[in-house]
Amino acid sequence: MKKVLLVGLLIFPQFLLAQDVRVKIEDFSFNYNDPSGIGEATFFQHNQKSLEGVRVEVEKIGEAMNFKVSGSEDHEFKLEKAPDVVMKAKTMTVDDLDLSYQDSLSLSVLEGEFIGEDELKLKNFALNCNKDLAQTAADNQLIFGCLQKMTVKSASFSQTAVEEGMVSAFTKAVGAVAGARGGLSIKALDFKVTNGKYDLGADIKAQISGRAKSKGTMSYDPATGIMTINISEVKFGILSVTGMVFDELKKSENERMKVKQPNVFYKLK
């Protein structure tokens, strides 16, 4: 799952991994047409700068997003290593986003669409994640904190990915059982990680509808930068689709993702 740690961490906060920043944004709404966009927020804080009632201008410059924030005073900064779903988007629409990244991570979006080669659509999305402040590196604080405790919920979630990966493998395997021809509709997405153990559930709407579930464990080796996901089971209703998921995952192997059942090895850094 390249856009989600694994359905969570890599969706938006991927860019936070390599940056020691403190950010708080309230009531942010935004419209973007490549390569620029304009938004507004009732509150915006970046490190020690705090502004209220701000206008935000965004411009894609090379491999980064440049932000210009204007209000009671002007403030400008550059966002490096934004996820592909942002960098490659032709259009983006975000309605009522709240983000707090300080001693923990909290993100909510009333509605969001990211349209490009990949398409990501969200409604009533919420992500909460611990930070492990015992870690010295900013990226390890977030990664290890999310492995300790993370929750992701979304009333609806859909992603069409050109790039193969874990999302694509899960979708193809469950879609084959559900009789999906034009893609899956995913409702009531619920993903939890507690002390390295994950539980994933989602309502699938297709020709055959049902509840998809998965359980397993997640661990991270900071020396190699590799996240190991041990998938113990994937079910659609009462049917096991674990083997089908691994068949699809095996087809999707690349430099960053290697598969050896029951494990998936994903290189984060």
Side-chain angles (χ1 to χ4, degrees):
M1 292 180 180
K2 186 167 183 180
K3 305 300 184 301
V4 285
L5 180 61
L6 306 140
V7 188
L9 179 57
L10 299 181
I11 224 166
F12 290 109
Q14 181 181 15
F15 68 86
L16 297 171
L17 288 176
Q19 303 183 52
D20 187 11
V21 296
R22 298 178 74 84
V23 176
K24 188 171 184 179
I25 303 171
E26 295 178 357
D27 301 325
F28 179 59
S29 294
F30 175 68
N31 286 285
Y32 173 91
N33 285 286
D34 190 30
S36 62
I38 297 175
E40 294 181 347
T42 59
F43 181 82
F44 189 99
Q45 181 184 64
H46 177 250
N47 291 338
Q48 300 303 314
K49 297 281 188 178
S50 296
L51 302 172
E52 295 184 0
V54 301
R55 172 187 171 96
V56 182
E57 297 180 42
V58 182
E59 184 178 8
K60 182 168 65 178
I61 301 175
E63 298 300 317
M65 289 287 188
N66 193 62
F67 285 73
K68 292 182 180 179
V69 183
S70 57
S72 56
E73 63 178 278
D74 294 340
H75 182 44
E76 185 172 347
F77 68 96
K78 186 176 291 187
L79 181 63
E80 306 279 0
K81 298 183 179 180
D84 286 349
V85 73
V86 172
M87 291 302 300
K88 294 182 179 180
K90 298 301 181 184
T91 63
M92 290 186 279
T93 303
V94 175
D95 185 18
D96 194 8
L97 179 148
D98 293 325
L99 169 66
S100 177
Y101 183 69
Q102 300 187 55
D103 291 337
S104 62
L105 170 65
S106 176
L107 169 71
S108 66
V109 181
L110 180 62
E111 191 167 358
E113 289 190 354
F114 304 80
I115 309 299
E117 293 180 1
D118 294 358
E119 295 186 5
L120 175 64
K121 297 181 181 180
L122 306 165
K123 285 187 178 179
N124 293 322
F125 176 88
L127 163 66
N128 292 280
C129 195
N130 279 5
K131 285 177 69 177
D132 184 355
L133 301 179
Q135 302 290 327
T136 55
D139 52 357
N140 289 340
Q141 287 182 356
L142 183 58
I143 294 170
F144 281 103
C146 287
L147 291 178
Q148 290 171 4
K149 187 176 182 180
M150 176 170 65
T151 61
V152 181
K153 293 180 180 292
S154 188
S156 67
F157 175 97
S158 65
Q159 181 181 35
T160 59
V162 174
E163 180 176 355
E164 296 296 319
M166 291 190 69
V167 169
S168 178
F170 272 74
T171 300
K172 287 179 180 178
V174 174
V177 177
R181 296 180 179 179
L184 295 178
S185 174
I186 300 175
K187 306 290 185 181
L189 175 69
D190 189 354
F191 180 72
K192 299 178 181 178
V193 180
T194 305
N195 295 326
K197 296 181 179 180
Y198 81 81
D199 282 281
L200 169 65
D203 290 337
I204 305 298
K205 305 296 183 182
Q207 186 173 344
I208 301 173
S209 297
R211 185 74 174 169
K213 298 180 180 180
S214 180
K215 293 183 178 181
T217 61
M218 300 170 63
S219 60
Y220 178 67
D221 182 357
T224 61
I226 292 176
M227 177 78 70
T228 300
I229 305 99
N230 182 286
I231 302 173
S232 60
E233 69 173 13
V234 186
K235 285 187 174 183
F236 180 65
I238 62 173
L239 301 176
S240 173
V241 294
T242 309
M244 297 174 68
V245 168
F246 272 98
D247 288 345
E248 294 295 341
L249 284 169
K250 196 66 179 177
K251 296 175 188 176
S252 303
E253 279 190 316
N254 54 45
E255 290 184 358
R256 297 192 68 179
M257 187 181 76
K258 301 299 179 184
V259 180
K260 187 176 181 180
Q261 191 170 357
N263 294 319
V264 179
F265 306 96
Y266 194 88
K267 192 169 183 62
L268 288 181
K269 298 188 288 183

